[in-house]
Amino acid sequence: MAGVIQTTVRRSMPAALLLRVRHRSPGLANGLVGGALAAGLGLAAFTVLVMLLWVSSPYPDSGPGGALHVAAALWLLAHGAELVRVDTLSGAPAPMGVPPLLLAVVPVWLLHRAARDTAEGGARDNAPLMPGRTAWAGVVLGYLAVAAPAALYAAGGALRPSWAWTALCVPLIALVAAGTGVWTAYGRPSGPLEQVLGAVLPRGARHLVLGPDGRPGVAARAAAAGATVLVAGGAVLLTVSLGWHFGETRRTFGRLTEGWSGWLAVLLLCVTLLPNAAVWAAAYALGPGFLLGAGVAVTPLGARAAPLLPPFPLLAAVPDPGAGTALHGTVVALPLTAGVVVGWFVGRGSVTGGGRFGVWTTGRTAGAAAFAAGLCGVLMALLAGLAGGPLGTAALARFGPVWWQVGLATAVWLGLTAAATALTVRAWRLRRSYRRGERRGDRVVAARRRPALPRPPQRERLPRGTWFKRKRGRSAPAPAPVAADEPYLLLDDDGDDGDDDRAHGAPDGLRDFRDLRDGTDPFGLRPRPEPLGDLPTASPPAAPGDTEPRPPT
């Protein structure tokens, strides 16, 4: 029996290794579970949608297995992966690479929430956060552990994923979305962004993208506002064009399918493609337009007919073939408006948000406006690249806007307009401030003494080698305990002179509380009478037989 006990003791794991496993394995395990749960929820959402449409369809082409294959393929398409259609009329496989941008919100949001919740771990304010790299790696690995079987399952259906695009897009989306989730859990520190900007941008342009307080800089806010105006304006142009061709839009529903289930499926497809169509309309307003096939360009200057296109409702908004008219030329108001918005942001920041540079010069203001226009061009090029793709071979190999043309047109349009607007806004704001100073110069106003407020603590910067750090509120030290018998001194004399009180706006007659203790009345009243001199104190009566002298009381 003793031998058995001795063998068991020898084979036991060391205490240090047990402690290490106890502290590290739950974090990675939670990340794996969170990533797998995010992937499972995304697949479940797509499966429910596809199964509802399959059940309501009066003439389903395949059984439930085919519907499940389509759901897995659509889930991969939402990540940007290209699909290949094998059941074509010609027998040759045809690619389908136009990802609906609205569907991409589902996996990105689920990954972001999973990474954020995993990093926080349900901990309270004083509890430590999970290490950022552990949470990030766990969520990504758990997500890919579910994505790989899903891709293998989708490969057996009619819509098969392209392995090259799947191996590139799905891990990239998982890395970026999970990284933003962990970054949010740690209070959005500026350390990671500063390291990335330090490797990409020169030192003089970093403050335009990231401010000293960790918030987006002037150029970043202006670029985001310009891209928002372009996409929102594209949505307005799309709505106007659909209303103009309302009759043709309504007829396309009847040509594609029959019954309310088919109409509902087409309507849902149109809704998921609305962000894509808004980006296409913005590209049309910028000038490059978009392609409806190889060599079939649609621009404000003219549009060519595309006879191979199916009757789809959103395609009814495409302008009629022929040369452009003056009505088509009015769309240039959209990039001009976006340029004015970008210039207004930069011009306002050149006067009020100069930071350590003070009021910017005209050259710096124009350069910041051009830099903001370039950033907006990068954003629009990224959106244009995501909104288009191939829908087949030969004539349909190129479908949608060309990303580099959209980015270049955005930078040119907004660069010229934003620079002029920024200089105008800067001059107007400076002139208004000067005019205010001239009007107030002839008035004699008594100087107001305001108390000097304490300066806010400086922003805590992360070390260069650290990407994630605990939240500032979580690392606050606990207040020191106060003893129960320790007195609370309200009138504590720290030995300072009256200069500090005078600087804080105290009245001349009351510099500190020492006047009250000295007997001087600061309000002009009579001083307190001086206390009487020392009076003799009587000793207590001695007890009978007590010969020892007693001290006075």
Side-chain angles (χ1 to χ4, degrees):
M1 191 66 178
V4 175
I5 295 177
Q6 184 69 21
T7 303
T8 305
V9 173
R10 288 179 180 177
R11 292 183 179 180
S12 61
M13 189 176 295
L17 186 57
L18 279 174
L19 184 62
R20 185 180 303 176
V21 172
R22 183 181 304 173
H23 282 284
R24 292 188 178 182
S25 58
L28 185 60
N30 292 340
L32 292 173
V33 172
L37 184 60
L41 289 177
L43 279 171
F46 281 84
T47 302
V48 169
L49 178 61
V50 173
M51 292 300 293
L52 286 178
L53 295 177
W54 176 78
V55 170
S56 60
S57 177
Y59 306 105
D61 295 336
S62 59
L68 293 177
H69 283 92
V70 171
L74 288 180
W75 183 72
L76 295 174
L77 181 64
H79 293 78
E82 187 177 293
L83 302 179
V84 178
R85 195 161 44 91
V86 295
D87 56 345
T88 58
L89 297 178
S90 61
M96 188 177 67
V98 180
L101 294 181
L102 191 60
L103 294 181
V105 178
V106 178
V108 170
W109 181 75
L110 289 174
L111 273 167
H112 178 84
R113 287 294 303 269
R116 190 192 66 181
D117 296 343
T118 302
E120 291 178 351
R124 298 180 180 178
D125 294 338
N126 295 329
L129 292 174
M130 185 181 298
R133 295 180 180 178
T134 304
W136 186 30
V139 171
V140 171
L141 292 178
Y143 196 85
L144 295 181
V146 178
L152 292 175
Y153 180 77
L159 293 175
R160 300 177 180 179
S162 174
W163 294 114
W165 285 99
T166 303
L168 175 64
C169 297
V170 177
L172 182 62
I173 293 295
L175 290 173
V176 174
T180 57
V182 176
W183 181 60
T184 304
Y186 274 78
R188 298 181 180 90
S190 59
L193 298 181
E194 290 177 355
Q195 293 184 11
V196 173
L197 293 179
V200 175
L201 298 177
R203 184 178 300 274
R206 297 175 191 173
H207 70 282
L208 297 175
V209 181
L210 186 65
D213 54 353
R215 298 180 179 180
V218 176
R221 295 195 301 269
T228 304
V229 170
L230 287 175
V231 176
V236 173
L237 290 179
L238 175 65
T239 305
V240 172
S241 183
L242 287 176
W244 187 270
H245 304 87
F246 179 75
E248 185 178 355
T249 305
R250 185 181 58 183
R251 286 191 298 269
T252 55
F253 280 93
R255 295 178 185 176
L256 285 176
T257 183
E258 297 179 357
W260 64 270
S261 61
W263 298 338
L264 179 61
V266 174
L267 180 61
L268 289 178
L269 182 59
C270 293
V271 170
T272 57
L273 289 173
L274 279 179
N276 301 60
V279 175
W280 290 21
Y284 177 82
L286 287 169
F290 50 87
L291 298 176
L292 294 180
V296 182
V298 179
T299 63
L301 299 178
R304 297 182 58 183
L308 298 178
L309 292 179
F312 193 68
L314 291 180
L315 294 179
V318 176
D320 298 331
T325 61
L327 183 61
H328 296 154
T330 57
V331 296
V332 299
L334 179 58
L336 293 178
T337 304
V340 169
V341 172
V342 172
W344 182 82
F345 270 87
V346 176
R348 187 186 63 171
S350 65
V351 178
T352 61
R356 63 186 179 91
F357 297 99
V359 178
W360 295 354
T361 61
T362 56
R364 182 181 294 275
T365 304
F371 183 70
L375 289 180
C376 188
V378 172
L379 292 177
M380 291 303 300
L382 179 62
L383 291 176
L386 294 176
L391 280 181
T393 57
L396 296 181
R398 302 181 64 181
F399 203 78
V402 182
W403 63 272
W404 66 268
Q405 294 180 1
V406 174
L408 183 60
T410 303
V412 172
W413 274 103
L414 272 63
L416 299 176
T417 311
T421 305
L423 294 177
T424 304
V425 172
R426 175 185 176 276
W428 176 259
R429 283 182 172 267
L430 291 178
R431 178 188 178 188
R432 188 174 59 178
S433 62
Y434 293 156
R435 292 180 61 183
R436 286 180 178 178
E438 292 175 0
R439 290 178 180 177
R440 295 181 181 180
D442 55 349
R443 296 173 57 187
V444 179
V445 182
R448 298 181 179 179
R449 294 181 178 179
R450 297 181 179 180
L453 300 178
R455 289 185 176 182
Q458 296 182 355
R459 183 175 63 89
E460 181 181 359
R461 290 182 175 270
L462 295 176
R464 289 294 181 183
T466 303
W467 277 71
F468 299 106
K469 190 175 181 181
R470 295 182 58 190
K471 284 186 178 180
R472 197 174 301 172
R474 298 178 181 269
S475 60
V482 181
D485 56 346
E486 182 178 356
Y488 183 78
L489 300 180
L490 177 62
L491 307 179
D492 190 8
D493 186 8
D494 54 356
D496 297 335
D497 53 1
D499 296 338
D500 297 339
D501 303 322
R502 190 178 299 107
H504 287 281
D508 297 335
L510 180 59
R511 298 305 178 193
D512 51 15
F513 291 102
R514 290 177 295 182
D515 297 340
L516 299 178
R517 289 180 289 182
D518 296 338
T520 304
D521 195 340
F523 300 101
L525 302 179
R526 295 181 179 181
R528 295 184 303 179
E530 295 292 332
L532 299 178
D534 296 334
L535 298 178
T537 56
S539 301
D546 190 3
T547 59
E548 293 291 334
R550 294 180 177 273
T553 57

